[in-house]
């Protein structure tokens, strides 16, 4: 009976997420039930519960600031025309080839996701792919497949929360998430080649006879993305790792496609993004080298550098007065819609962990034995699918995954990393990302356009198997790699 009661907050949250209620209702209801259970069924003192929540406030504030910075930067780039000019530079002379698609899948779009997050990269990626000459359906599909970077999206607030909630080392769980992210990188590339194989209106490099060599290229590109992310986590830290890795891979693919020439370059339009990436790397390094604490430690948070990048963008890209008025209003509206649900998910995770709920469930699930380790990435993917956020997925069942893994002898950093990677890839088949991609591509659909029409159903039919293939790969990796 106790196990069923402990399960009720999570089940209630899942059920409410499937309704048309506002996004904040589900985590708010789950949090309320978890508080009630903690105080009654599990006998946790109110002071202890409040103390646990209070200890998570600094992390919560940092996450909300990172989200605000990423959203504001994306609006500055949009209203200044920076995104449009970057798109024109990337598309110059490059038609809808497989090479260009892999550049987008493993480089450009995931890079944009790391510096904005929460699917904002789709708003730039879909029009860019349309401009390159892909059909509406392929543009939407490729843009979603490119979201291989979930644990590092928006400079990794979900991964940061996973570290802070459980007292783990941020870099260590970034490394374990990177290890298990290999299937996502591979599936995205392979699915892109299969999608474009023999497509009408494409250049000769996508003919059926050349499918096998291009599959090999896709695998190499995916391995390169995975290795760069893993290496960047080790060398420059977890927050900027995704941005650094995908930026390097973008440059490498551009050198291949452009025959070794990058000039003429994108000019000042890329400077705000480089400011965010370089500032976060430098700040993280300085913070670690000097052991900075308190206010001085802010130099290492991506939130600071996101707003520095916003200031650079406003001045350097000559944002006009009307746009300067629109950007704060629009960014504020988007932030409220994202920040309130994420704040409630953080509170939910803290209550589940401190209130004895996740421990009760972990005790029951550990009875599955090592078979639970195979189920772990599927549970993480399901959480990512329904919350559309690594932060939300980590708060929703992260405590349960960590506690159950620990009961089976798995060190928390490893179960945390597997859950985080799986949640990030589970998001790609979720309704939130499909809705954005469909909305951006639907206007370009025409009766004369070859191939499948861009509909939510058609996108889901392709994305669900791709997502499940990646999660199955993570489950196999988990079985062999998780220490126990």
């Amino acid at each position: 009976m106790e196990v069923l009661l402990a399960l009720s907050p999570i089940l209630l949250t899942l059920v409410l997420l499937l309704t048309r209620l506002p996004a904040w209702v589900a985590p708010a209801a789950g949090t309320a039930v978890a508080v009630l259970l903690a105080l009654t069924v599990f006998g946790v003192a109110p002071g202890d519960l409040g103390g646990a929540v209070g200890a998570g406030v600094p992390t919560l504030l940092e996450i909300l600031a990172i989200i605000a910075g990423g959203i504001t930067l994306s609006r500055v780039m949009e209203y200044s025309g920076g995104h449009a000019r970057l798109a024109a530079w990337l598309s110059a002379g490059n038609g809808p080839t497989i090479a260009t698609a892999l550049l987008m899948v493993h480089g450009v779009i995931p890079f944009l996701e790391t510096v904005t997050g929460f699917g904002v990269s789709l708003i730039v990626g879909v029009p860019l792919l349309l401009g390159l000459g892909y059909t509406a359906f392929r543009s939407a599909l490729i843009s979603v497949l490119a979201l291989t970077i979930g644990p590092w999206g928006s400079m990794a607030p979900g991964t940061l929360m996973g570290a802070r909630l459980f007292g783990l080392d941020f870099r260590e769980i970034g490394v374990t998430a990177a290890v298990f992210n290999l299937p996502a990188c591979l599936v995205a590339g392979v699915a892109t080649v299969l999608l474009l194989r023999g497509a009408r209106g494409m250049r000769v490099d996508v003919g059926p006879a050349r499918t096998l060599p291009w599959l090999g290229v896709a695998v190499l590109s995916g391995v390169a993305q995975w290795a760069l992310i893993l290496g960047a986590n080790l060398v420059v830290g977890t927050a900027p790792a995704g941005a650094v890795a995908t930026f390097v891979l973008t440059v490498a693919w551009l050198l291949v496609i452009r025959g070794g020439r990058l000039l003429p370059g994108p000019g000042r339009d890329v400077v705000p993004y480089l400011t965010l990436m370089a500032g976060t790397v430098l700040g993280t390094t300085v913070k670690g080298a000097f052991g900075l604490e308190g206010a001085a430690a802010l130099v290492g948070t991506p939130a600071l550098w996101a707003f520095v990048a916003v200031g650079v963008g406003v001045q350097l890209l000559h944002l006009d007065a009307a746009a300067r008025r629109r950007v704060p209003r629009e960014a504020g509206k988007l932030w409220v819609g994202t920040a309130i649900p994420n704040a409630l998910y953080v509170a939910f995770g803290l209550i589940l962990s401190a209130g004895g709920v996740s421990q009760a469930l972990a005790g029951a699930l550990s009875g599955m034995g090592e078979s639970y380790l195979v189920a772990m990435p599927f549970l993480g993917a399901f959480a990512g699918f329904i919350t559309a956020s690594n932060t939300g997925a980590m708060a929703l069942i992260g405590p349960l995954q960590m506690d159950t893994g620990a009961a089976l002898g798995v060190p928390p950093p490893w179960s945390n990393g597997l859950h985080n990677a799986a949640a990030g890839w589970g998001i790609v088949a979720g309704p939130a990302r499909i809705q954005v991609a469909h909305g951006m591509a639907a206007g370009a659909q025409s009766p004369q356009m070859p191939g499948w029409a861009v509909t939510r159903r058609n996108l889901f039919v392709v994305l669900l198997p791709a997502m499940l293939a990646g999660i199955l790969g993570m489950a196999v990796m988990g079985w062999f790699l998780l220490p126990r």
Side-chain angles (χ1 to χ4, degrees):
M1 183 63 181
E2 185 178 272
V3 172
L4 292 177
L5 287 172
L7 193 59
S8 61
I10 295 176
L11 290 178
L12 175 62
T13 303
L14 297 180
V15 169
L16 292 176
L17 277 168
L18 300 176
T19 69
R20 296 180 180 274
L21 292 170
W24 61 268
V25 173
T31 301
V33 173
V35 169
L36 181 63
L37 290 174
L39 297 177
T40 57
V41 176
F42 298 106
V44 177
D48 293 339
L49 202 61
V53 174
V57 168
T59 298
L60 171 61
L61 293 176
E62 183 173 2
I63 290 169
L64 296 183
I66 292 172
I67 295 171
I71 290 174
T72 306
L73 178 59
S74 74
R75 298 300 85 202
V76 169
M77 293 297 292
E78 187 67 26
Y79 281 114
S80 67
H83 279 161
R85 290 188 293 272
L86 284 173
W89 175 71
L90 287 168
S91 63
N94 301 317
T97 66
I98 285 185
T100 307
L102 291 173
L103 160 69
M104 301 301 295
V105 164
H106 285 141
V108 175
I109 295 177
F111 172 76
L112 293 172
E113 184 68 9
T114 63
V115 295
T116 57
F118 302 95
V120 174
S121 58
L122 300 179
I123 298 173
V124 184
V126 173
L128 177 55
L129 287 160
L130 289 168
L132 287 165
Y134 299 97
T135 66
F137 174 70
R138 295 186 188 110
S139 296
L141 190 58
I142 291 170
S143 68
V144 181
L145 285 171
L147 301 180
T148 57
I149 206 83
W152 301 272
S154 194
M155 292 288 174
T159 306
L160 174 66
M161 190 191 75
R164 297 280 179 83
L165 280 179
F166 310 109
L168 305 176
D169 181 76
F170 187 25
R171 187 188 299 254
E172 186 178 7
I173 66 170
V175 169
T176 56
V179 168
F180 289 115
N181 208 53
L182 175 62
C185 302
L186 295 178
V187 169
V190 169
T192 298
V193 171
L194 295 177
L195 172 70
L196 299 179
R197 181 181 64 86
R200 285 183 289 165
M202 303 287 286
R203 292 187 178 181
V204 295
D205 66 355
V206 295
R210 304 194 64 180
T211 299
L212 191 58
W214 273 112
L215 286 174
V217 173
V219 169
L220 288 175
S221 183
V223 170
Q225 187 191 52
W226 170 77
L228 285 167
I229 293 171
L230 180 59
N233 271 275
L234 291 167
V235 175
V236 301
T238 295
V244 171
T246 51
F247 179 79
V248 170
L249 196 55
T250 295
V251 172
W253 262 117
L254 284 171
L255 286 170
V256 170
I257 292 170
R258 291 172 171 265
R261 298 184 302 274
L262 292 178
L263 298 176
R268 66 181 64 185
D269 294 306
V270 78
V271 173
Y273 287 139
L274 292 179
T275 299
L276 171 56
M277 182 178 69
T280 303
V281 172
L282 178 62
T284 302
T285 302
V286 170
K287 177 183 174 182
F290 294 96
L292 301 179
E293 297 180 355
L298 292 176
V299 72
T301 178
L304 170 64
W305 296 105
F307 283 106
V308 170
V310 167
V312 169
V314 168
Q315 296 300 320
L316 195 63
L317 304 182
H318 307 299
L319 206 63
D320 60 43
R324 293 189 188 200
R325 291 191 296 270
R326 287 196 299 269
V327 164
R329 290 198 299 267
E330 187 171 326
K333 183 178 179 180
L334 290 170
W335 180 80
V336 169
T338 304
I340 292 177
N342 273 283
L344 289 169
Y345 275 119
V346 172
F348 187 36
L350 290 167
I351 297 298
L352 288 178
S353 184
V357 176
S358 66
Q359 291 87 342
L361 289 173
L365 289 172
S366 62
M368 293 175 60
E370 292 194 346
S371 61
Y372 179 83
L373 303 181
V374 176
M376 185 180 288
F378 288 94
L379 291 173
F382 181 67
F385 178 91
I386 60 174
T387 63
S389 163
N390 275 73
T391 306
M394 184 66 72
L396 182 64
I397 64 169
L400 173 62
Q401 299 269 54
M402 303 311 106
D403 290 338
T404 308
L408 296 171
V410 178
W414 283 88
S415 51
N416 189 305
L418 178 55
H419 167 82
N420 201 9
W425 188 236
I427 292 172
V428 300
R433 298 296 181 266
I434 288 176
Q435 177 63 43
V436 173
H438 172 264
M440 295 301 300
Q445 183 69 49
S446 67
Q448 296 78 28
M449 195 167 278
W452 286 16
V454 60
T455 66
R456 285 182 288 269
R457 177 186 176 278
N458 286 346
L459 291 171
F460 182 73
V461 164
V462 179
L463 287 169
L464 181 63
M467 184 269 282
L468 291 175
I471 298 304
L472 179 61
M474 292 180 190
V476 172
M477 289 185 69
W479 179 259
F480 287 104
L481 295 182
L482 287 175
R484 52 194 186 274

